Amino acid sequence: QEAALCGQHCLNNLLQGPHFTAGDLADIATALDQQERKLMLEAGMTAEARAFMSEDSSNVDASGNFSIQVLSQALQNVFGLALEDSRRPENRSLMQSPDAQTGFVLNRHSHWYCLRKLNNQWWSCNSTQMAPERITSSGNFSGLSSELRNLASDNWTVFVVKGDRWPQPAPRNQGAPPSNWVDPSSPPRDPNEPAEFSGSTFGNAAPRQEAPKVEAFSGQGRSLGGSKRPAPAEVADLSEEEQLAMAL
């Protein structure tokens, strides 16, 4: 079974570079498990402790789904960034003007993805999508405010990323292979899209005729830049379910 590493992809999308491997996050999960077991055993091998010790890890499962504790610890350890639930009382005023922030992390049903501001433009970077989606204004609300309101109403948990030690986006020639870069002005064609629509833009991505920009980071931990290569043939031949499994 393909590992569900959307948590890893979410962090790398958020930070715009290949900063965390699955192994890095697994090590954090193991350390958290050990700390939790130590705490449970402080009062001895009670019935509660015995039951806890018999359970599987709450920080990572067999398919690679990581907990919020793991993602939060990873950001804190390396960059001093904090993940905080936007519903906390101290964050309510902050959420009245979310455009002042730099990034948000979203979670629902064990799936993670992020919203990231780059050059004053907000992007939705989701590893189940082939390209980033530009967040545009809607009605009386800014594009981001409207997006966050819709996500909250759709039962997504919104975490705000706090801190000022954001790393610079990784250059295209460092870290990730060229295939991990996506140009939002010319995103790869969705293989499930009918051929007659192959020239259309992907979701809310920038129109293809615009000049290439290095503005967002998306898809399986991929960084965005100027690559215009189409999706590999072997990916295009997969079914939608197989592509989703590969993306996760």
Side-chain angles (χ1 to χ4, degrees), residues 16 102 116-123 134 168-169 213-216:
Q16 286 289 278
T102 303
R116 176 66 199 268
K117 180 170 66 176
L118 292 158
N119 299 327
N120 293 318
Q121 170 63 55
W122 281 95
W123 297 88
R134 185 193 297 270
Q168 289 295 316
K213 300 176 182 178
V214 180
E215 289 188 308

Side-chain angles (χ1 to χ4, degrees), residues 187-199:
R189 186 179 70 82
D190 185 346
N192 295 313
E193 184 180 55
E196 59 268 27
F197 297 113
S198 61

